Amino acid sequence: MSLAASTGSVHVRAPGKINVYLGVGGRHEDGYHSLATVFQAVSLYEDVIARPADDFSVTVSGVEDNGEVPLDDRNLAMRAAKLLATAVEHRGGVALEIRKSVPVAGGMGGGSADAAAALVACDALWGTGLSPARLHDLAARLGADVPFALHGGTAVGTGRGDQLNPALARGRFDWILVPNERGLSTPVVYERLDLLREEQGALADDPPLSLDVPIPVLQALRSGDPMQLADALENDLQVAALHERPDLAETIRQGVAAGALQGIVSGSGPTVALLCADPETAQDVQSALRETGLDPLHVHGPVPGARIIA
């Protein structure tokens, strides 16, 4: 019997993420880049509620402009639901209600969190009982960030970012996130990075087509020491994101001036992630940035991945 038989719906919550490290390799012939990244799931969540239906539909709340999030097959949660239905030969549909908190086009994997939540919700709704490994395989077909949103915590991602291995991260890391109303397109940022590298005379194998996360990043996470992690923060996409949006550099500067240990563009941006020494310092940084007219959020990590909410 499916969970929906008694409740009528399934509610799943999945976290957004930041990349505490993101190395981008050379572009392959298929247009994709090899990645070496460290994801950390943080306490900013997407909620997806799945209800039985004859067809597939999506509604979205939590966004100022309803046009920001597509409601058709371009929506990753919709694609996740249809992919699962095909995989398990489910003949019905599902009505998905998405309640967004992760910034849209903010480099924090909000759409991927929606997709992960939709997979877990539909699996429970339809009573299909897929194994975590099978759900992971389906998630990997939807995008590089979706498998991580399933698992959460802290993980090393290689390949296209979808080959995951858990990373030991002791303690709690406090972050101030500074969203931006003007989104950044991930493909545009990657294209800009390729152009910048070409202008610098980079060869086809420089940067390499495969790469690893530097040992100091993993050591910093194991130590649980925010100061050590601050020294290891790095994002190869940041130079391209700042080229498209120079104002983000000023946001990082303001955050560090207010007391953050270090700042970084999250993923492809435009969200800025500022690492703080402790919760109290994070609150001080949040207050200082609010006085400049920004809308910062205090979050912490690591947190678990997609989970059913009773």
Side-chain angles (χ1 to χ4, degrees):
M1 178 182 294
S2 71
L3 182 62
S6 58
T7 65
S9 64
V10 178
H11 180 181
V12 175
R13 178 168 291 164
K17 58 84 183 172
I18 55 177
N19 298 79
V20 302
Y21 175 84
L22 178 56
V24 180
R27 183 175 57 190
H28 291 262
E29 291 182 0
D30 62 4
Y32 286 104
H33 296 74
S34 293
L35 302 178
T37 187
V38 178
F39 299 108
Q40 184 162 100
V42 296
S43 56
L44 190 63
Y45 300 98
E46 300 280 273
D47 288 270
V48 174
I49 300 169
R51 298 181 176 89
D54 294 330
D55 204 349
F56 293 86
S57 65
V58 175
T59 59
V60 177
S61 61
V63 291
E64 292 185 6
D65 180 1
N66 290 334
E68 286 184 288
V69 181
L71 303 180
D72 52 21
D73 284 347
R74 293 172 297 165
N75 186 290
L76 208 52
M78 171 83 85
R79 288 163 54 193
K82 290 185 174 181
L83 179 64
L84 179 60
T86 299
V88 301
E89 298 182 350
H90 177 72
R91 298 185 180 227
V94 65
L96 297 175
E97 177 190 348
I98 301 175
R99 301 173 182 174
K100 297 195 68 65
S101 295
V102 177
V104 177
M108 291 189 62
S112 297
D114 294 339
L119 285 174
V120 173
C122 290
D123 180 56
L125 184 75
W126 299 333
T128 47
L130 294 187
S131 68
R134 182 68 174 123
L135 286 173
H136 177 101
D137 289 343
L138 293 174
R141 292 170 60 182
L142 292 162
D145 291 349
V146 182
F148 176 71
L150 270 180
H151 301 289
T154 304
V156 172
T158 53
R160 287 192 293 132
D162 56 343
Q163 299 171 23
L164 294 178
N165 287 294
L168 177 61
R170 290 189 172 93
R172 161 177 163 147
F173 294 95
D174 283 86
W175 303 86
I176 293 299
L177 304 179
V178 187
N180 198 291
E181 292 181 356
R182 292 169 52 206
L184 261 177
S185 163
T186 297
V188 167
V189 174
Y190 272 96
E191 288 171 9
R192 176 58 62 185
L193 178 64
D194 290 336
L195 288 172
L196 290 172
R197 286 175 168 176
E198 287 174 10
E199 290 171 1
Q200 294 165 0
L203 301 176
D205 58 350
D206 179 23
L209 292 178
S210 64
L211 60 171
D212 298 308
V213 172
I215 295 299
V217 178
L218 302 177
Q219 291 175 333
L221 290 165
R222 283 197 298 269
S223 75
D225 182 357
M227 294 187 68
Q228 191 174 338
L229 183 59
D231 290 337
L233 294 178
E234 188 175 343
N235 178 4
D236 282 355
L237 287 180
Q238 181 162 305
V239 63
L242 295 182
H243 191 280
E244 297 293 317
R245 293 287 305 281
D247 57 297
L248 301 180
E250 175 62 15
T251 300
I252 294 174
R253 187 201 67 77
Q254 289 177 327
V256 173
L261 296 172
Q262 187 54 275
I264 194 170
V265 173
S266 177
S268 58
T271 301
V272 166
L274 299 159
L275 179 60
C276 298
D278 49 51
E280 294 74 23
T281 302
Q283 291 171 6
D284 291 341
V285 173
Q286 184 181 34
S287 297
L289 292 179
R290 277 179 178 161
E291 291 179 1
T292 70
L294 297 172
D295 188 22
L297 306 167
H298 178 195
V299 303
H300 67 273
V303 300
R307 294 291 185 275
I308 295 175
I309 303 298

